[in-house]
Amino acid sequence: MTLEAGSSLKTGSGTGTSSIGSLFKALNSGTTTSRQIVESCLNAIDQRDGSIGAFLHIDRERALQAAEASDLRRSTGEVRGPLDGLPISIKDAICEAGQPATCASRILEGYVSPYSATVIDRLHAAGAIPLGRVNLDEFAMGSSSENSAYQLTHNPWDLTRTPGGSSSGSAASVAARMVPGSLGSDTGGSIRQPASLCGIVGLKPTYGRVSRYGLVAFASSLEQIGPFSLDVFGAAALLQTIAGHDPHDSTCVNTPAEDYLQTLDTPLADLRIGVPKEYFGEGLDPEVQNIVEEALAVYSQHGAKLIPVELPHSKYSVATYYIIAPSEASSNLARFDGIHYGYRSPNFTDLESLYAASRGEGFGPEVKRRIMLGTYALSAGYADKYYVKALQIRRLIRHDFDAAFQQCDVIAGPVTPTPAFRLGELTDDPLAMYLSDIYTIAANLAGIPAISIPAGWTASGLPVGLQLQGPVFTESRLLRAARMLEIDRPWIDRLPPAAGG
Amino acid sequence: MKYDVIIGLEVHAQLQTKTKIFCGCATDFTPDAPNIRTCPVCLGLPGALPVLNRRAFEMAVKAALGLRCQIAHFTKWDRKQYFYPDLPKGYQISQYDLPFSHSGLMEIPADPEVAGAEGLTRKVRIIRAHLEDDAGKNIHDESGRGSESQVDLNRAGTPLVEIVTEPDLRSPKEARMLLEEIRLLLLYFGVSDCNMQEGNLRCDANINLHLHHDSGITTKTPIVEIKNLNSFRFLEQACEYEVSRQLKTYGHLEEIADRTKRTFGYDPQRGVTIEQRSKEEAADYRYFPDPDLVPVIVTADQIQLWQADLPERPQDRRQRYQTELGLSPYDAGVIIEQGRAFADFFEQIVAHGAESKQASNWITQEIQRILNERKCSIGEFPVSAELVGTILRKVSDKQLTLKAAREALDALVSYSEENTVSQETLEKVIQERGLSIVQNDELLLNIIQQVIQKNPKPVADYLGGKQAAAGSLLGQVMREARGADPQLVKSLVTQALDALKSGNS
């Protein structure tokens, strides 16, 4: 395993933590311990999270104990893998036994999950240390952290700006070097968009690659849990730890997870990169376009062929998504009714008013908006016009990708139309906010894997990501392609101001 | 005015799987406390996902094949959405437009009181049978002091099969008979215990009338769905009440403007149906495919395997008892109604040599009497079907009288309390108690009388003073009454002939 490009290790005060790849190396060479790593993360959180606002809950003692257990394993030669001893932050929508799982919603305030998500069990089995619960847009609905019922999360590159969302805390906690990696979820771009806006790696796996058991459902047919990391190595290590069949999730595919690390450093020869014209049209910030095109030029220099492809139905992606996702959400969120767990309003006189008041007071405005959209779209007399129609378009979008992948190995383009926008800038314009997912949504509709990697920085110092999408179950290809850019143009030494950069 | 009663049923039966339909929780309903047969999945906790229990699916297919349904090659799961405290997910996982089975048929004898139906068979088409998960139970404070209601989710997630019929039933009695037949089928197939008191079998009835006015105009009354009927009697009574209510309400109307379907409940105490929700509150369940579950694909080969593995339907058995075993429809019905173990026992008795009519009498009378006395089921009957068969074979072989056979059975039953009962035990009992037909004067005398009647010549010879003539009569009696004690036969024959002699003189 070679980890030279871009790896550095600064465990001294002030710089926070480092990449998973470099920490793994340092642990192996004995220059650091898991305890030291966890302590440096906790220090960084103490120093920085006041201004970043990524964490909702931290379990220090447990993390330190887990670190000591990991160090003990290492001393007896029982290391469980590349994540052993490394702290990982967890989006507060992924359940862990004994930990809160608020989904950044009032309606789950004080709720403690009695069971763990499959991905959490797998992290523990791999020796990784879930360090804290990080912020999100309420129930993963949003693109900015502004829909969190508890706090705003700020972009470590510019505290006045959004880190993106909905996995806001995951991206910000990694970008600010408070943890080396994180687990988030991606329903329409909720991993890739914040990864792009925060200058880190974020991967949305193929639908069915990773178990959803224990991920509080927003839109079941679209979402996947996936990794955030400073480096591609970390994303690969996290993915291969959490991926694979799970008997608790029947939509999880019954094929063994691959060893993504094994092939990671082998560049892809004769790579054919599809460049859809639909991703470079109106609405795309020129600076973002330049940065993405420069990244594509790097691939050309390494022998990749850039091939124009068409995704003719991509213009319907946002509309399709905003029928299907709210429809599923309206159903998935019905269980938050004030009866069985979570918030119950004191303001009720009968069963119906108990439901109305508990849900009315417990959910935030964006969640309510989507529940209403979805309820409408599934109503008698409207379902055929909206929900069923959207399913038909979804199929066409899938066919677009099938056709495009006849010509190319990966599809490249921007992750978001603009770099991080200012907090508060789009809060009054939900439609404009929805459009920030315009390039990411199609991958969820098609169920294909996609990765966001840092492609460059704007003149004002905001990161811009490159998105690579592949056919189903080509995570290995995407990671190798990402690694090619990482080797050529390492990004890890560039620190955000909030991390001392 | 003439009118037709139109009834269709929706029958819900809990499948007797060991575990729930979408999680691994046990389905026993006598747990000591509420909410202990639960897990994140059936509690509907955030993040939990359902996974289909294959066994539940196979059991449901078995039931559907019993109903002569077609099994779909592709079936999927849909969410039926509504809010209720006993429904922790806020939706029920059910099947909407692509149920796993459809187009079945059940037959019952038509109600002879329906005009023109006497002696006919009522063919009731089954629209579909589909699978879904059951809700929990709300427990309300009945003291009237208004304390909190509670929710018990032990039952939540139990597999339910819902059977929907066409409105082919023509009287409340037919509705009851169909439900009874469905219950028998599910019991015989071992897919449901059909315990109606526990709510493991319950039924909704859709009912309306076609009124044929003297003017020649026919009007249809609005369909009423009577929900949650949990006994055969309530089903029949509720339908009867509803017929009279609809006649009273609509009988005089040649035009009914509002024919919206309405939902009623049945109050068995008052014997009336009561409207539950009006059309303004009619539910929109917003069905859509459950994205957490993958569709089920069933191959033709698989269906063939299931079909081949199917037990005999109770309806077919009842028919077979009449055509092959010569039982009356009544006797066949009585045996079938007692359940599969009972019918199996009957067939084993026959298989071990009993004459079928005799076996039928015995199982419905002697054995049933003993079961009642001992308050036990056929499975706990202490004497094997083989032994009962042997006893009855001895009756048809004229080795035992019916009376002696009864005594032998009773003796075996009491003997069984301390010992195991075997073929040897039976022989011992017969011998010890002298039950053998040869020692039974009455039957032996019968034989002797017959022999005397059939042989006037030797009898006349004997009566004429030829003592030796008795010898041939003696031989015949011995041949008829196999194994009889020759001394006894000799003295009885002599007695009989002497009686004739004195009678003649």
Side-chain angles (χ1 to χ4, degrees):
Chain A
M1 224 166 314
T2 54
L3 302 157
E4 294 318 310
S7 21
S8 76
L9 182 67
K10 293 171 189 165
T11 46
S13 66
T15 50
T17 191
S18 187
S19 69
I20 289 174
S22 55
L23 293 172
F24 173 58
K25 245 183 94 179
L27 282 168
N28 277 350
S29 63
T31 54
T32 189
T33 64
S34 173
R35 178 154 185 124
Q36 283 172 344
I37 292 167
V38 169
E39 280 173 347
S40 75
C41 287
L42 291 171
N43 284 339
I45 293 166
D46 288 340
Q47 286 167 24
R48 293 166 200 168
D49 202 45
S51 53
I52 302 288
F55 285 85
L56 293 172
H57 177 80
I58 300 166
D59 202 336
R60 288 164 193 272
E61 278 316 302
R62 197 180 64 134
L64 288 168
Q65 280 167 19
E68 279 166 14
S70 170
D71 288 331
L72 190 66
R73 282 197 294 276
R74 200 167 294 275
S75 70
T76 56
E78 295 164 67
V79 180
R80 292 175 181 173
L83 297 180
D84 200 337
L86 298 186
I88 305 295
S89 69
I90 308 292
K91 186 178 188 176
D92 205 27
I94 301 172
C95 296
E96 175 165 8
Q99 299 288 312
T102 67
C103 297
S105 179
R106 291 277 170 229
I107 212 157
L108 280 175
E109 194 163 5
Y111 174 75
V112 172
S113 178
Y115 78 101
S116 289
T118 300
V119 294
I120 298 291
D121 285 341
R122 291 191 178 163
L123 283 186
H124 282 299
I129 304 171
L131 178 66
R133 317 278 311 166
V134 285
N135 199 26
L136 63 150
D137 286 293
E138 185 177 1
F139 284 107
M141 298 178 189
S143 312
S144 70
S145 90
E146 290 160 306
N147 296 334
S148 167
Y150 299 110
Q151 64 196 38
L152 283 177
T153 300
H154 300 265
N155 192 317
W157 297 91
D158 178 347
L159 295 177
T160 68
R161 290 177 189 269
T162 178
S166 66
S167 308
S168 320
S170 289
S173 65
V174 173
R177 271 63 175 172
M178 297 190 282
V179 280
S182 184
L183 290 187
S185 63
D186 190 315
T187 311
S190 284
I191 289 175
R192 290 159 288 156
Q193 184 253 21
S196 173
L197 301 191
C198 287
I200 61 171
V201 180
L203 186 146
K204 181 205 93 75
T206 305
Y207 186 79
R209 177 71 288 178
V210 176
S211 168
R212 292 183 294 114
Y213 187 73
L215 168 66
V216 182
F218 155 27
S220 318
S221 77
L222 298 163
E223 60 208 8
Q224 278 286 289
I225 295 171
F228 288 89
S229 168
L230 289 170
D231 55 351
V232 178
F233 177 92
L238 275 166
L239 181 63
Q240 74 184 37
T241 301
I242 61 173
H245 179 58
D246 176 14
H248 289 110
D249 177 359
S250 54
T251 65
C252 188
V253 176
N254 194 0
T255 54
E258 295 170 61
D259 185 345
Y260 302 112
L261 291 174
Q262 203 171 23
T263 54
L264 192 60
D265 286 329
T266 314
L268 294 156
D270 307 319
L271 183 62
R272 297 173 301 160
I273 300 179
V275 183
K277 65 174 190 316
E278 291 84 359
Y279 285 15
F280 293 87
E282 199 190 336
L284 180 61
D285 180 287
E287 214 179 351
V288 171
Q289 180 164 353
N290 283 338
I291 292 170
V292 169
E293 282 170 355
E294 279 169 28
L296 292 179
V298 171
Y299 282 102
S300 296
Q301 286 158 25
H302 286 279
K305 224 186 283 169
L306 301 184
I307 297 163
V309 294
E310 284 184 23
L311 297 171
H313 296 94
S314 63
K315 58 177 176 283
Y316 303 119
S317 296
V318 173
T320 304
Y321 177 86
Y322 278 97
I323 294 296
I324 293 174
S327 293
E328 294 183 12
S330 70
S331 175
N332 285 331
L333 271 58
R335 65 186 63 196
F336 304 106
D337 58 2
I339 302 283
H340 301 92
Y341 44 78
Y343 178 75
R344 178 187 294 176
S345 169
N347 308 312
F348 67 88
T349 52
D350 58 8
L351 184 61
E352 203 175 311
S353 64
L354 186 156
Y355 287 139
S358 300
R359 289 167 66 81
E361 296 161 25
F363 289 133
E366 180 62 27
V367 173
K368 284 187 224 170
R369 177 157 38 235
R370 296 201 195 185
I371 289 174
M372 286 162 69
L373 270 174
T375 304
Y376 183 82
L378 290 177
S379 295
Y382 297 99
D384 284 346
K385 213 161 130 190
Y386 295 108
Y387 180 73
V388 174
K389 197 88 194 160
L391 291 185
Q392 290 164 350
I393 309 284
R394 183 177 186 175
R395 199 174 311 129
L396 295 177
I397 289 169
R398 240 179 240 156
H399 291 165
D400 277 2
F401 280 105
D402 290 344
F405 285 126
Q406 297 292 311
Q407 299 168 263
C408 63
D409 305 312
V410 298
I411 289 173
V415 183
T416 60
T418 66
F421 49 89
R422 287 187 194 282
L423 287 162
E425 197 178 325
L426 300 179
T427 38
D428 296 332
D429 190 351
L431 279 183
M433 187 78 88
Y434 294 173
L435 287 174
S436 75
D437 289 336
I438 190 163
Y439 304 129
T440 49
I441 274 174
N444 300 84
L445 291 169
I448 59 172
I451 192 169
S452 170
I453 45 174
W457 273 257
T458 64
S460 57
L462 294 174
V464 170
L466 171 73
Q467 177 172 223
L468 299 173
Q469 304 175 90
V472 291
F473 300 111
T474 56
E475 282 83 354
S476 167
R477 185 189 299 170
L478 295 181
L479 287 161
R480 285 167 71 186
R483 181 70 182 137
M484 288 165 74
L485 191 69
E486 187 182 36
I487 291 172
D488 193 275
R489 297 175 55 177
W491 55 71
I492 286 168
D493 284 334
R494 182 158 181 165
L495 294 177
Chain B
M1 183 190 58
K2 286 181 178 158
Y3 65 90
D4 297 320
V5 178
I6 313 290
I7 302 176
L9 298 184
E10 290 172 26
V11 180
H12 292 85
Q14 271 183 8
L15 298 178
Q16 51 192 21
T17 48
K18 289 197 179 70
T19 56
K20 294 183 178 181
I21 181 169
F22 296 120
C23 64
C25 288
T27 51
D28 80 81
F29 295 112
T30 45
D32 306 330
N35 297 310
I36 58 168
R37 297 283 183 263
T38 56
C39 73
V41 176
C42 57
L43 288 174
L45 292 188
L49 297 174
V51 175
L52 176 65
N53 173 354
R54 281 310 286 205
R55 199 61 207 107
F57 188 78
E58 285 167 7
M59 259 194 199
V61 166
K62 200 171 165 186
L65 287 172
L67 295 162
R68 299 178 202 278
C69 284
Q70 304 290 313
I71 305 301
H73 292 292
F74 176 97
T75 186
K76 69 179 173 74
W77 308 95
D78 300 280
R79 294 184 182 176
K80 178 181 181 179
Q81 311 191 65
Y82 61 96
F83 285 99
Y84 208 57
D86 66 9
L87 191 69
K89 299 187 297 296
Y91 55 82
Q92 181 184 28
I93 302 175
S94 183
Q95 303 199 281
Y96 182 51
D97 53 342
L98 297 170
F100 78 88
S101 75
H102 58 91
S103 310
L105 184 73
M106 280 289 271
E107 292 179 342
I108 52 167
D111 179 358
E113 293 184 14
V114 173
E118 200 178 339
L120 297 181
T121 295
R122 185 71 71 203
K123 291 180 190 293
V124 183
R125 291 163 297 162
I126 309 291
I127 298 176
R128 58 190 279 168
H130 70 253
L131 196 49
E132 57 191 25
D133 62 350
D134 206 349
K137 275 178 184 160
N138 295 340
I139 302 158
H140 301 293
D141 177 25
E142 313 240 319
S143 71
R145 269 177 254 120
S147 84
E148 289 186 342
S149 294
Q150 297 180 312
V151 181
D152 177 6
L153 297 176
N154 280 338
R155 197 182 69 177
T158 306
L160 276 185
V161 64
E162 177 173 338
I163 299 157
V164 185
T165 79
E166 292 281 4
D168 289 340
L169 297 157
R170 290 293 169 267
S171 77
K173 190 174 173 198
E174 288 184 4
R176 176 195 177 124
M177 285 169 69
L178 179 72
L179 186 61
E180 284 173 346
E181 285 301 298
I182 289 176
R183 174 175 168 274
L184 267 186
L185 179 77
L186 299 177
L187 280 174
Y188 269 71
F189 277 33
V191 296
S192 175
D193 70 8
C194 294
N195 185 332
M196 297 186 82
Q197 271 170 345
E198 296 278 321
N200 300 355
L201 179 71
R202 46 195 197 264
C203 157
D204 306 333
N206 287 287
I207 174 166
N208 76 333
L209 305 178
H210 291 182
L211 307 169
H212 306 295
H213 297 281
D214 299 337
S215 61
I217 289 173
T218 294
T219 40
K220 298 177 180 177
T221 64
I223 297 169
V224 160
E225 180 174 10
I226 312 171
K227 285 276 194 194
N228 248 325
L229 297 160
N230 63 355
S231 89
F232 297 118
R233 199 158 48 88
F234 293 166
L235 167 63
E236 191 171 352
Q237 288 173 352
C239 289
E240 277 166 0
Y241 177 84
E242 191 53 31
V243 168
S244 65
R245 191 192 68 80
Q246 291 189 18
L247 265 185
K248 201 153 67 181
T249 313
Y250 303 106
H252 55 288
L253 300 174
E254 293 199 348
E255 217 180 282
I256 300 169
D258 182 5
R259 294 191 43 244
T260 318
K261 182 174 164 176
R262 295 156 71 184
T263 304
F264 279 59
Y266 180 62
D267 178 349
Q269 249 125 49
R270 292 163 53 211
V272 296
T273 56
I274 302 152
E275 180 142 28
Q276 285 184 332
R277 60 169 112 86
S278 66
K279 62 184 179 213
E280 291 84 34
E281 295 161 333
D284 175 1
Y285 292 121
R286 288 174 287 116
Y287 280 102
F288 82 108
D290 191 327
D292 289 333
L293 287 161
V294 288
V296 180
I297 312 287
V298 179
T299 64
D301 288 350
Q302 185 61 64
I303 295 170
Q304 254 183 359
L305 282 177
W306 282 327
Q307 188 86 55
D309 217 26
L310 228 48
E312 189 181 17
R313 292 174 187 86
Q315 291 74 22
D316 296 342
R317 266 198 193 197
R318 190 192 284 125
Q319 197 57 44
R320 180 164 61 81
Y321 288 1
Q322 293 169 52
T323 52
E324 287 181 18
L325 301 180
L327 299 193
S328 69
Y330 177 81
D331 286 344
V334 168
I335 292 170
I336 293 297
E337 261 164 44
Q338 294 300 313
R340 184 171 171 179
F342 198 85
D344 285 347
F345 199 93
F346 162 72
E347 291 190 24
Q348 283 164 33
I349 298 175
V350 175
H352 284 98
E355 190 271 318
S356 54
K357 176 69 192 167
Q358 196 69 267
S360 157
N361 288 342
W362 262 50
I363 195 161
T364 55
Q365 292 163 28
E366 303 312 322
I367 292 176
Q368 189 63 63
R369 170 179 56 80
I370 295 166
L371 294 177
N372 291 346
E373 281 165 11
R374 298 168 69 94
K375 295 187 173 56
C376 67
S377 71
I378 192 74
E380 298 156 316
F381 192 69
V383 180
S384 70
E386 185 180 355
L387 273 183
V388 177
T390 309
I391 294 173
L392 289 181
R393 197 182 61 230
K394 285 181 188 292
V395 173
S396 38
D397 287 353
K398 300 208 164 67
Q399 294 176 33
L400 288 177
T401 60
L402 262 177
K403 191 161 154 271
R406 265 184 220 118
E407 199 181 329
L409 181 65
D410 284 338
L412 287 182
V413 169
S414 18
Y415 191 75
S416 73
E417 281 169 15
E418 282 159 28
N419 306 279
T420 46
V421 176
S422 66
Q423 201 73 38
E424 287 76 51
T425 327
L426 173 63
E427 298 305 335
K428 212 172 102 194
V429 161
I430 291 173
Q431 215 182 11
E432 277 177 4
R433 303 198 170 211
L435 296 175
S436 182
I437 202 166
V438 291
Q439 294 174 332
N440 182 305
D441 299 0
E442 191 185 315
L443 267 148
L444 202 49
L445 285 175
N446 268 340
I447 293 170
I448 290 166
Q449 287 305 326
Q450 281 172 20
V451 170
I452 287 173
Q453 274 166 29
K454 280 190 219 148
N455 298 282
K457 177 93 181 13
V459 171
D461 288 347
Y462 179 84
L463 293 179
K466 264 179 93 179
Q467 295 279 329
S472 81
L473 295 171
L474 215 61
Q476 284 194 50
V477 173
M478 286 300 289
R479 271 196 296 279
E480 292 277 335
R482 260 175 299 163
D485 176 4
Q487 288 304 319
L488 180 69
V489 172
K490 189 176 177 188
S491 86
L492 286 175
V493 168
T494 314
Q495 275 174 33
L497 291 172
D498 289 345
L500 282 176
K501 199 189 251 172
S502 54
N504 280 351
S505 61

